[in-house]
Amino acid sequence: MEQKYNDSLPQLFSRDNARKWIERRTMPFRSLMAYYNCAIMEVTTKFNVLNEEFSLQHDRNPIETVKSRLKSPESIAEKLSRKRLPPSTDAVEKYINDVAGVRVVCSFIDDVYTVADAFLMQDDITLIEIKDYIKNPKDNGYRSLHLIIEVPIFLSDEKRSMKVEIQLRTIAMDFWASLDHQIKYKKHISNEEHVFHELKDCANSIAEIDRRMSKLKEDIDD
């Protein structure tokens, strides 16, 4: 007999349950993904508006690019399984913070913090968590400013608060992160320790260039 999955009831954890639940793509799941997509549109619009305002005030754009992504159903199922969470929309919405993701690539380090501060000042944005991997890089050298926020979306008959993960980084940080991803993504690395040290050394070198470019901009502005 086919096992029934009811989004309103918690299910016992199992990797198979999570996979089957995702494969069913129930209406509640599809609706939730649509809500996350709406939240992405809200956030990206806010950053584009800020960029336009800064351009008028300072005659330059601090934001180079704004990218977004919606976590794939397969990745959501894997994360539910890894966190030992039941396959339900409630679990996704309550415990997974990065279903909706927005990446903001800025020109200089100061721009990252200026843009983040201006964004968080908006009265409809609620900050849930902040992790500063620029001031405190990860062990492998990864640098970015991470924000978990809630933003309201306005539907035909209700207002919903949705979580979005925002990563703010410089062009140099994005360059390193993109190459790091391409080098390591889904690959078995036999000389892992050597690769780890090389990537960290590259991250430190790129960070030094970032600092020098920022200092050069300050000297020219002064």
Side-chain angles (χ1 to χ4, degrees):
M1 180 182 293
E2 181 186 357
Q3 187 173 0
K4 300 295 184 181
Y5 290 90
N6 186 335
D7 276 336
S8 65
L9 298 174
Q11 304 291 331
L12 292 177
F13 158 82
S14 82
R15 188 179 301 274
D16 194 45
N17 275 0
R19 178 183 58 80
K20 288 180 179 178
W21 178 71
I22 288 294
E23 287 176 351
R24 286 172 59 85
R25 307 286 173 88
T26 61
M27 181 56 73
F29 177 80
R30 284 184 287 158
S31 296
L32 183 61
M33 293 303 102
Y35 298 155
Y36 278 119
N37 201 41
C38 291
I40 285 173
M41 289 189 284
E42 290 282 352
V43 170
T44 54
T45 297
K46 285 177 177 293
F47 280 115
N48 287 327
V49 169
L50 283 174
N51 204 32
E52 185 67 21
E53 181 190 3
F54 282 126
S55 176
L56 292 171
Q57 291 179 350
H58 306 291
D59 201 28
R60 74 177 188 88
N61 296 101
I63 298 175
E64 290 288 327
T65 59
V66 179
K67 306 172 185 177
S68 64
R69 65 104 183 96
L70 195 63
K71 205 172 191 67
S72 71
E74 293 74 21
S75 293
I76 292 172
E78 191 277 332
K79 197 156 193 175
L80 287 171
S81 171
R82 191 172 70 248
K83 287 177 170 285
R84 303 190 66 81
L85 293 169
S88 69
T89 53
D90 285 345
V92 172
E93 202 164 1
K94 186 173 182 180
Y95 296 110
I96 300 183
N97 293 333
D98 62 346
V99 175
V102 173
R103 181 178 302 156
V104 182
V105 179
C106 298
S107 303
F108 299 97
I109 297 172
D110 285 350
D111 291 336
V112 169
Y113 293 102
T114 299
V115 169
D117 288 344
F119 176 80
L120 292 174
M121 283 176 59
Q122 299 185 21
D123 59 12
D124 59 345
I125 295 297
T126 301
L127 177 63
I128 297 173
E129 184 179 16
I130 182 167
K131 292 183 179 179
D132 193 338
Y133 295 117
I134 298 175
K135 293 178 181 176
N136 302 289
K138 290 187 178 182
D139 289 342
N140 66 345
Y142 173 85
R143 290 167 169 83
S144 278
L145 180 66
H146 285 204
L147 310 174
I148 303 296
I149 61 97
E150 279 189 344
V151 63
I153 62 169
F154 297 88
L155 306 171
S156 60
D157 58 351
E158 66 171 320
K159 180 176 78 170
R160 291 179 65 105
S161 289
M162 304 300 298
K163 292 179 186 175
V164 179
E165 181 193 58
I166 301 169
Q167 299 174 357
L168 297 105
R169 59 178 65 154
T170 65
I171 299 168
M173 295 170 196
D174 192 55
F175 165 74
W176 181 90
S178 297
L179 294 184
D180 172 71
H181 179 76
Q182 289 189 34
I183 289 170
K184 297 190 304 185
Y185 184 64
K186 290 187 178 178
K187 292 179 182 175
H188 174 71
I189 302 173
S190 57
N191 54 342
E192 189 171 355
E193 186 174 349
H194 169 73
V195 171
F196 176 86
H197 287 297
E198 282 294 302
L199 283 169
K200 186 170 184 177
D201 188 56
C202 288
N204 291 336
S205 298
I206 290 171
E208 177 59 25
I209 292 172
D210 228 348
R211 286 189 289 269
R212 289 172 62 186
M213 294 297 288
S214 293
K215 180 63 167 61
L216 185 60
K217 175 185 172 295
E218 290 174 7
D219 291 343
I220 293 172
D221 288 344
D222 290 343

